[in-house]
Amino acid sequence: MKSKISVAILGATGTVGQKFVLLLQNHPWFEISELVASPRSANRTYRNACAWKQDKPIPYVLRDKLLLEAGSELSSRILFSGMDSSVAGPIEEDYASKGHIVISNSKNHRMDRDVPIIIPEVNSSHFEITKKQRFKGAIITNSNCVVMPVAMVLAPLHQAFKIKWVQLSSMQAISGAGYPGIPSYDILGNIVPFIEGEESKVETESQKILGRLDGNTIEPADFVISAQCNRVPLVDGHTINLSMEFEKKPSPQQVGDILRSWKSLPQEKRLPTAPRSPIIVFEEENRPQPARDIWLENGMAAYVGRIRECPIGHIKMVVLGHNTVRGAAGAAILNAEAYLSLGYLG
Ligand SMILES: NC(=O)c1ccc[n+]([C@@H]2O[C@H](COP(=O)([O-])OP(=O)(O)OC[C@H]3O[C@@H](n4cnc5c(N)ncnc54)[C@H](OP(=O)(O)O)[C@@H]3O)[C@@H](O)[C@H]2O)c1
């Protein structure tokens, strides 16, 4: 690639926005040229407006950059969006109507008929539907942060053995709720067995991602998911315990072999943000663990362990994902890389 492509970050001050800032610094294809947030932050410097919570400092060149107000005219064609879902819907539509390519983390448009939820390892063919969108530009979404590692695991297994049902229970870190998120009094030394709106997302998004593109629509995959979602006192990393039944019963060994060897478009095209192995399977019986494993493959893989027989279904296992990297900003960046590498931007 000759010169870098200018990009903007919408919601640049938030939890996901901060991860975009870190992951895009020194990116070989993209250069951050605009930082955008709410009217509260507009015209303030990034370091002043942002409650920076990352373990690395704000990149020096962005510290004193002035924030723009969401809705204002932007020169970047690609907009990475980490805006609060209470406002993201119409703002993203407006930018897409003006010709921008909006790569979004928010739930607002994920289930729209003409908007894909992309995991490039799983369904890059669904990018095609962006050509039929009502916008001059496009909206492309990535999934919910629990769905991401789960759908990555389900995809090769569904292809090999056809899933009938999945039952899962999540242990989700506090960064998944943004900043300031859940009050410390409610989460320290505690588990909260309710995350508003989460279970319905987890029960529906995977089927769309694993669905079949049929002309102007995506036919969802035909299996059912039952989810129970819990908030736990960890900063980063969502762990999911799941059981499943298939049409064709596999052995734990077969499941491990398929997950371990799975590779797809981002790996074949060597996209800059792609993990070398999208799924890491642990042999140790006490892994994966959020405190030990979420930075393997730079946070971009799904980490799997304890694959064993389930006495009710066929197979059970533990899946872990980095919610703000592979489950949010890193996923969106990989989507932009895949979209570009497939020639959709001309
Ligand atoms: N956290 C995760 O792990 C995760 C994972 C996947 C998806 N998501 C989704 O990503 C989005 C961002 O999540 P987050 O965790 O980063 O939330 P957050 O920390 O609360 O950040 C929200 C961002 O939205 C901006 N915003 C708020 N009101 C606005 C307005 N009226 N106009 C324009 N911008 C406005 C905020 O800017 P100000 O600072 O100026 O208020 C801030 O930059 C949400 O839709 C969330 O569901 C999050």
Side-chain angles (χ1 to χ4, degrees), residues 258-302:
I258 283 180
L259 296 181
R260 222 177 271 108
S261 60
W262 187 56
K263 284 197 173 33
S264 189
L265 174 120
Q267 289 69 42
E268 285 151 20
K269 288 194 172 282
R270 295 171 181 265
L271 299 179
T273 305
R276 283 160 307 176
S277 299
I279 298 179
I280 296 184
V281 180
F282 289 85
E283 299 299 335
E284 301 92 324
E285 60 186 12
N286 61 353
R287 303 289 273 276
Q289 297 178 12
R292 309 269 171 273
D293 301 318
I294 53 168
W295 282 112
L296 290 167
E297 294 283 4
N298 297 319
M300 285 298 290

Side-chain angles (χ1 to χ4, degrees), residues 10 81-97 102 104-110 112 115 134-135 139 141:
L10 312 178
S81 173
M83 278 187 293
D84 192 276
S85 59
S86 63
V87 297
I91 298 175
E92 290 178 350
E93 275 190 34
D94 190 44
Y95 279 124
S97 303
V102 181
S104 173
N105 276 281
S106 300
K107 65 178 181 188
N108 308 63
H109 294 291
R110 284 187 198 139
D112 289 4
V115 174
R134 60 210 124 123
F135 313 114
I139 297 180
T141 65

